[in-house]
Amino acid sequence: IVLDAPPNVPTDDIITSPTSAPSNLSSSSPSNRPTSEQDIGASTPRSKHFADECTSYLLSPEFLEDGIVSQMEFTRFLIHHCIQKGLCDDTTVITFEELEVGLQLEFILGVCSHEEQVDKAQCIDDLKTMWRKGNQFGFDADADGMDSLVQDVKGMCTKSYGYVLEMGLTETPAPTKLPTASPSV
């Protein structure tokens, strides 16, 4: 876990881009939530491309420079990705808190990927304290743990795809099943 002091400018807490949120951004229903890797398209070429793009973006030198891959940088990637796919327009404003709860949890559990439940619980509690204080939190981008960082970020990006898809921030995967025959009359 890395703690980074919040910026002095209050508007830095909001990630903005030259696009607007898709119309279905806040209209998700619990019944549409992904429930398994197959449901979230984990094996589709688009999901793999998304995970690769997410990992490359978050592990770019500009984000590693400060020693943290933060929740704000993850949100910034999602906006960037949505713009690149032509799904958002130039008035998009999304904060980490506005993301689907499942997507927030994927980020948090990616950061707190400890095997021991006690360590994981302590990590989550520490993140909650940082969030309440208005601080950035995220993956520790220490050069000594780069292999682990790549693995953790890639895993988080892969698991996030279904939620990102559900929010309308990425493209729908191509159909993988054959069309069903029309019923005869």
Side-chain angles (χ1 to χ4, degrees):
I1 302 171
V2 176
L3 175 62
D4 189 29
N8 292 332
V9 181
T11 58
D12 284 350
D13 289 341
I14 298 175
I15 309 297
T16 61
S17 78
T19 66
S20 82
S23 61
N24 63 347
L25 181 63
S26 60
S27 64
S28 79
S29 74
S31 63
N32 292 335
R33 291 216 166 97
T35 57
S36 73
E37 283 191 25
Q38 185 177 22
D39 291 339
I40 62 172
S43 61
T44 68
R46 285 194 181 160
S47 64
K48 181 177 178 349
H49 178 75
F50 172 83
D52 291 343
E53 183 183 343
C54 174
T55 303
S56 294
Y57 186 94
L58 294 175
L59 298 180
S60 66
E62 89 179 75
F63 292 136
L64 296 178
E65 202 170 85
D66 64 356
I68 181 174
V69 177
S70 74
Q71 83 276 22
M72 291 175 63
E73 291 160 342
F74 177 59
T75 307
R76 190 172 295 129
F77 162 72
L78 295 174
I79 294 168
H80 167 79
H81 180 79
C82 187
I83 293 166
Q84 294 296 328
K85 298 302 177 188
L87 300 171
C88 297
D89 66 30
D90 63 355
T91 60
T92 298
V93 176
I94 304 172
T95 64
F96 183 78
E97 292 78 11
E98 293 172 316
L99 298 176
E100 274 288 320
V101 171
L103 188 51
Q104 292 177 32
L105 283 172
E106 288 301 344
F107 183 84
I108 290 165
L109 293 174
V111 172
C112 297
S113 62
H114 307 287
E115 289 184 28
E116 295 292 325
Q117 280 303 110
V118 172
D119 294 337
K120 184 177 290 216
Q122 181 61 50
C123 176
I124 292 170
D125 193 49
D126 291 345
L127 293 184
K128 183 172 65 173
T129 300
M130 290 178 217
W131 174 75
R132 284 185 174 159
K133 291 181 178 181
N135 295 325
Q136 291 185 47
F137 56 87
F139 294 89
D140 185 354
D142 181 358
D144 293 337
M146 197 57 158
D147 290 340
S148 176
L149 175 64
V150 170
Q151 182 179 7
D152 290 345
V153 170
K154 177 94 176 198
M156 183 274 302
C157 290
T158 300
K159 292 175 183 175
S160 296
Y161 176 77
Y163 297 103
V164 175
L165 182 63
E166 181 182 303
M167 288 184 69
L169 300 174
T170 194
E171 299 170 305
T172 305
T176 56
K177 296 182 181 176
L178 296 174
T180 37
S182 300
S184 59
V185 182

